[in-house]
């Protein structure tokens, strides 16, 4: 998986853990930092994990959608100078597989 | 944000004015294997390409940091700054328990 500058991604991912950091950008204060492993439609890992802000309280091994929209993340953390980028934007209820490939 | 192990530092003699005096870290992004080994394990390098990140938090060699890549890395600066990766967190603890991944379907 790549993170090409200036391009926005929304990825299906699975929560695989969390991170605790005392020293961090002040805009991350109070936010849960979750380790999100991007996965394909079959649940297989794709690429390396991303750390995403979690406003929803996602649980371990839940499937989520993460977005790389920094502008929206800055609004969410309420700091226009924040480097925030990846954010969990929703929790997947039911995995749906439409293509049998 | 991705996590990476600080494997070195860079010092610049000449720099863009907005970046004079900045600290720079050479960071090797953690791969899945490094996540599994945890923070305390012996340092192993992943196959991910290493990169240089701006650092205002004081990350040291051997530490694991969270770094933000892309356009967002330059957002904290008041003036336009040519930066693509910034250290945004010094990781103290990491909980990592990957799920048992289902068998890949046989095609």
């Amino acid at each position: 998986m790549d993170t090409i500058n200036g391009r926005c991604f929304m990825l299906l991912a699975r929560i695989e853990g969390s991170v605790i950091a005392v020293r961090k950008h002040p805009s991350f204060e109070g936010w849960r930092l979750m380790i999100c492993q991007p996965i394909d439609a079959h649940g297989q890992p794709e690429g390396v994990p991303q750390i995403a802000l979690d406003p929803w309280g996602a649980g371990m091994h839940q499937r989520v959608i993460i977005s790389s929209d920094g502008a929206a993340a800055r609004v969410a953390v309420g700091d226009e100078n924040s480097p925030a980028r990846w954010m969990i934007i929703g929790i997947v209820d039911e995995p749906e597989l439409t293509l049998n490939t | 944000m991705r996590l990476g192990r600080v494997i070195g530092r860079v010092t610049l003699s000449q720099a863009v004015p907005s970046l004079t005096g900045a600290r720079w870290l050479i960071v090797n992004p953690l791969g899945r294997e490094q996540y599994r080994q945890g923070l305390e394990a012996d340092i192993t390098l992943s196959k991910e390409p290493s990169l240089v990140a701006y650092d205002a938090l004081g990350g040291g060699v051997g530490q694991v940091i969270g770094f933000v890549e892309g356009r967002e890395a330059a957002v904290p600066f008041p003036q336009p700054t040519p930066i693509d990766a910034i250290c945004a967190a010094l990781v103290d603890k990491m909980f990592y328990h990957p799920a048992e991944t289902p068998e890949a379907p046989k095609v």
Side-chain angles (χ1 to χ4, degrees):
Chain A
M1 189 205 69
D2 54 356
T3 50
I4 300 165
N5 298 343
R7 278 178 61 185
C8 277
F9 295 91
M10 278 168 63
L11 300 176
L12 182 62
R14 189 191 298 114
I15 305 285
E16 295 201 323
S18 60
V19 165
I20 291 176
V22 176
R23 288 274 291 155
K24 55 184 177 283
H25 191 274
S27 61
F28 294 159
E29 204 63 57
W31 285 84
R32 278 154 51 93
L33 300 169
M34 305 306 285
I35 302 175
C36 301
Q37 171 65 56
I39 55 175
D40 65 13
H42 304 290
Q44 295 294 312
E46 277 186 335
V48 299
Q50 288 285 352
I51 313 298
L53 301 176
D54 174 23
W56 308 112
M60 279 297 280
H61 302 162
Q62 268 187 325
R63 290 175 189 228
V64 295
I65 305 289
I66 57 175
S67 156
S68 71
D69 185 356
R74 288 196 289 280
V75 172
V77 300
D79 180 350
E80 60 185 22
N81 293 320
S82 169
R85 178 166 153 97
W86 290 94
M87 174 166 276
I88 295 174
I89 57 167
I91 298 176
V92 177
D93 263 346
E94 240 176 77
E96 190 173 306
L97 194 57
T98 51
L99 270 179
N100 194 22
T101 55
Chain B
M1 183 158 72
R2 283 198 286 164
L3 296 189
R5 178 82 68 172
V6 180
I7 57 172
R9 291 184 52 186
V10 190
T11 312
L12 305 180
S13 58
Q14 301 280 328
V16 175
S18 56
L19 296 178
T20 45
R23 276 172 57 93
W24 303 93
L25 304 176
I26 308 178
V27 182
N28 181 243
L30 301 193
R32 281 179 64 75
E33 193 49 44
Q34 281 72 32
Y35 271 94
R36 238 179 248 118
Q37 291 165 355
L39 298 182
E40 311 300 335
D42 290 339
I43 295 177
T44 57
L45 296 188
S46 70
K47 287 188 179 130
E48 301 288 316
S50 297
L51 51 99
V52 175
Y54 176 90
D55 174 39
L57 297 178
V61 173
Q63 263 187 320
V64 170
I65 64 164
F67 60 97
V68 176
E69 295 161 283
R71 214 200 82 79
E72 282 72 23
V75 172
F77 296 87
Q79 69 281 3
T81 306
I83 278 192
D84 255 346
I86 185 172
C87 167
L90 305 185
V91 176
D92 295 301
K93 276 190 186 157
M94 180 173 84
F95 302 99
Y96 183 68
H97 299 286
E100 299 280 320
T101 47
E103 285 271 312
K106 293 185 179 68
V107 183

